[in-house]
């Protein structure tokens, strides 16, 4: 299987590393809107995006590594005409319209377009689906973290007097325990997560004002218990350079003629690198996309539509013997 | 969808309760080898197994609730000729031969036979497959418990001087923590689980001899740290009547060009009733079996082959809007 990458940010870099871990795959190259000379990859060849359509016969699956805000709503429908594609579109509320646009385009081009792949949406969604199908009488809980939220870190950096900053989303341990114990609690936003901010102030900035502005910021911080730590740029660069993330999906549900027995299903991710893990999920789904198209299927697909076996390089016999 | 149950032990009872939780399903009845008059169900009609083949046009999926040792190796191939079937065949080492026998039979009858459904094999297997596909460079860990092991409880009851008994398999907390922390430990059998036995001795039995015989029993106990508690029948009946179980599936794996980032995927089940949860999984897969056969598919299938969406009563649109 021959993969190509469109867009070489953190996700694109993760795809390059993930392809190297899968012996049945090779990387054709990275395609970029920038001057190819300025893009430094680990090993991959770099091409300008204008050459992409001319290389259709050399690429089995195109990995779309742009952002959900403006890149993917355009790119996925556009390229699904010409390639099998995988994207990580993660604006949950707009998935239905994205699916429709991509589906029409992928069908017209007789390709498979795997959308909203990753861990949330992605593996978390899958776990919600399985657990809901098994325990119809139950309650779902999703917690995120401990991990870096890009959106909240950006929000901090927009505050006046802030030079740099990073925000961690942290699930509340007592809430996790209550869910895990089958207590089926009703939890407010504040009871589920706390937010911890590491902020580098500009010289002479009013720290109290920065802290107040962060803690009271609507949507981002005002509904949470937020902690603000002021540190130096050196400390931020040294101690907070990683992009860890993760979280928990729970379903707690009843069975029995009178709902007398409770069950808790828990799925947890603990990720050193959010983009590298996301990339690894995308690469597994690229395998599935290619197989499904080779079978004659076309259109948009999500993780819900893919038989798990299609993700693995193993044969059915091997899987049944070693994993079942 | 019209389901029927063959065999009314704990699993069959669990199926009856699970069908009642799914509005798109109804239960035709329970089929038994016993005298139907002697089988008391919650609500279901009871038929003798001899009438089963005459009711083919009234049953969409037959739920096979016999044991893996002698019932299912015969029943699943036999009934897959006449019905879509779901079984919970759990003798891991014999799954390949069971699959082959069932596949031929299901194809000849143009039915879907979903085998080895439940949680291990079943949901645990699925999690091993997904996690292996995402993290090819990693290590798998499965822990069971805390829960009642039927086989080990039976083994206790065969010891001379024992009137009754129950055995709990318990994962070692420090081993779970080491795996969860990404330490990728090599663990011996003894380091992974402990075994706790609650034993009711016969009057006048030699307790020291019973304890020694249990602790030194090869295969079952000798490789574990085992605790033996002697209690009364009354205490056993009062405090140990449940059939809880569960466990953990972990995969810990590296990503990055130089394997510099570690990730831990954890799936955990905490079940008040092992048979009721297993039954709930089987019922979700009955929905999938029926749909796959209606599409014209036939043959044996495992959880690896089923698109997750087929398990849910929701439409694709609903799933994408609410679960993705």
């Amino acid at each position: 299987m021959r993969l190509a990458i469109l867009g070489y940010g953190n996700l694109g870099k993760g795809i390059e590393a993930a392809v190297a871990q899968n012996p049945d795959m090779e990387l054709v190259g990275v395609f970029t809107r920038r001057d190819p000379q300025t893009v430094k990859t680990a090993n991959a060849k770099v091409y300008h995006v204008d050459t992409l359509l001319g290389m259709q016969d050399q690429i089995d699956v195109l990995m779309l590594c742009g952002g959900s805000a403006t890149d993917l709503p355009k790119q996925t429908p556009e390229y699904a005409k010409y390639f099998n594609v995988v994207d990580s579109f993660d604006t949950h509320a707009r998935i239905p319209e994205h699916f429709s646009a991509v589906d029409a385009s992928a069908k017209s081009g007789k390709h498979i377009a795997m959308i909203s792949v990753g861990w949330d949406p992605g593996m978390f969604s899958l776990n919600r689906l399985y657990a809901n199908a098994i325990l119809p009488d139950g309650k779902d809980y999703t917690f995120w973290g401990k991990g870096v939220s890009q959106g909240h870190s950006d929000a901090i950096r927009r505050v006046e007097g802030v030079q740099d900053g990073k925000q961690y989303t942290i699930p509340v341990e007592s809430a996790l325990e209550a869910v895990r114990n089958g207590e089926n609690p009703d939890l407010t936003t504040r009871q589920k997560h706390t937010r911890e901010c590491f902020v580098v102030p500009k010289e002479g900035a009013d720290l109290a004002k920065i802290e107040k502005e962060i803690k009271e910021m609507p949507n981002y911080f005002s509904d949470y218990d937020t902690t603000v730590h002021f540190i130096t740029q050196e400390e931020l660069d040294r101690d907070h350079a990683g992009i860890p993330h993760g979280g928990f999906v729970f379903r707690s549900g009843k069975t029995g003629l009178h709902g007398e027995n409770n069950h808790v299903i828990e799925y947890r991710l603990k990720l050193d690198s959010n983009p590298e893990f996301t990339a690894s999920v995308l690469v597994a789904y690229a395998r599935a996309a290619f197989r499904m198209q080779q079978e004659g299927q076309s259109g948009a697909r999500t993780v819900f539509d893919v038989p798990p076996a299609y993700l693995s390089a193993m044969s059915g016999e091997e899987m049944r013997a070693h994993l079942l």
Side-chain angles (χ1 to χ4, degrees), chain A:
Chain A
M1 283 185 47
R2 301 161 305 168
L3 270 58
I5 294 169
L6 178 60
Y8 197 69
N10 285 331
L11 184 60
K13 288 176 190 170
I15 301 275
E16 182 178 17
V19 169
Q21 290 188 315
N22 286 282
D24 60 334
M25 297 181 177
E26 61 178 85
L27 189 59
V28 177
V30 166
F31 293 80
T32 179
R33 287 173 291 201
R34 294 177 267 171
D35 173 0
Q37 305 258 350
T38 67
V39 175
K40 206 167 152 42
T41 66
N43 293 297
K45 287 185 198 158
V46 184
Y47 302 92
H48 193 270
V49 66
D50 288 348
T51 66
L52 182 52
L53 293 190
M55 292 173 70
Q56 256 186 286
D57 61 346
Q58 295 167 53
I59 296 168
D60 295 317
V61 187
L62 178 65
M63 311 302 285
L64 299 173
C65 298
S68 295
T70 54
D71 296 332
L72 298 176
K74 282 191 178 178
Q75 288 177 347
T76 314
E78 181 183 341
Y79 288 106
K81 277 183 229 147
Y82 308 104
F83 299 96
N84 297 311
V85 298
V86 180
D87 84 16
S88 64
F89 184 78
D90 66 359
T91 312
H92 290 260
R94 301 189 60 187
I95 286 174
E97 69 186 278
H98 188 60
F99 185 92
S100 296
V102 173
D103 190 48
S105 155
K107 277 180 179 146
S108 80
K110 295 195 168 58
H111 290 105
I112 290 286
M114 203 72 76
I115 68 155
S116 298
V117 179
W119 59 274
D120 195 6
M123 298 311 297
F124 273 18
S125 325
L126 264 182
N127 276 279
R128 285 188 281 263
L129 172 56
Y130 277 117
N132 272 268
I134 295 169
L135 296 174
D137 178 14
K139 215 167 154 175
D140 294 308
Y141 295 90
T142 302
F143 294 86
W144 294 274
K146 184 182 176 176
V148 173
S149 162
Q150 217 51 61
H152 287 78
S153 298
D154 291 345
I156 290 175
R157 287 190 289 260
R158 285 192 300 264
V159 170
E160 203 191 315
V162 171
Q163 175 177 304
D164 204 349
K166 214 142 188 187
Q167 192 268 183
Y168 295 90
T169 304
I170 305 171
V172 174
E173 198 58 46
S174 59
L176 294 176
E177 274 311 302
V179 173
R180 199 175 276 136
N181 291 335
E183 296 169 22
N184 296 319
D186 289 312
L187 297 167
T188 63
T189 299
R190 192 176 298 274
Q191 288 169 326
K192 289 184 70 186
H193 298 93
T194 57
R195 301 197 176 277
E196 191 171 19
C197 308
F198 292 87
V199 178
V200 180
K202 288 183 181 158
E203 230 183 280
D206 180 342
L207 303 193
K209 187 164 166 278
I210 290 175
E211 180 165 346
K212 185 169 187 293
E213 197 167 324
I214 290 174
K215 288 187 171 178
E216 293 178 357
M217 197 184 294
N219 302 319
Y220 286 92
F221 293 101
S222 63
D223 294 336
Y224 299 86
D225 289 337
T226 301
T227 318
V228 177
H229 307 278
F230 290 101
I231 60 174
T232 64
Q233 185 73 52
E234 194 190 358
E235 287 168 327
L236 188 80
D237 295 345
R238 186 191 64 206
D239 302 334
H240 303 280
I243 320 175
H245 219 314
F248 303 77
V249 171
F250 290 93
R251 187 164 176 87
S252 179
K254 308 279 180 201
T255 64
L257 289 165
H258 312 287
E260 58 271 36
N261 287 309
N262 198 70
H263 309 277
V264 180
I265 303 173
E266 174 178 352
Y267 181 77
R268 179 184 189 178
L269 296 176
K270 220 177 138 200
L271 313 176
D272 276 0
S273 165
N274 184 354
E276 286 183 7
F277 186 83
T278 300
S280 298
V281 180
L282 264 69
V283 163
Y285 277 92
R287 188 180 282 122
F290 184 50
R291 288 181 178 172
M292 291 167 90
Q293 191 231 6
Q294 287 198 305
E295 286 180 359
Q297 297 189 46
S298 69
R301 295 288 187 277
T302 74
V303 294
F304 296 157
D305 306 308
V306 178
Y310 283 49
L311 303 175
S312 172
M314 286 189 192
S315 70
E317 290 74 13
E318 285 175 292
M319 275 182 254
R320 287 190 293 273
H322 301 297
L323 296 173
L324 197 61

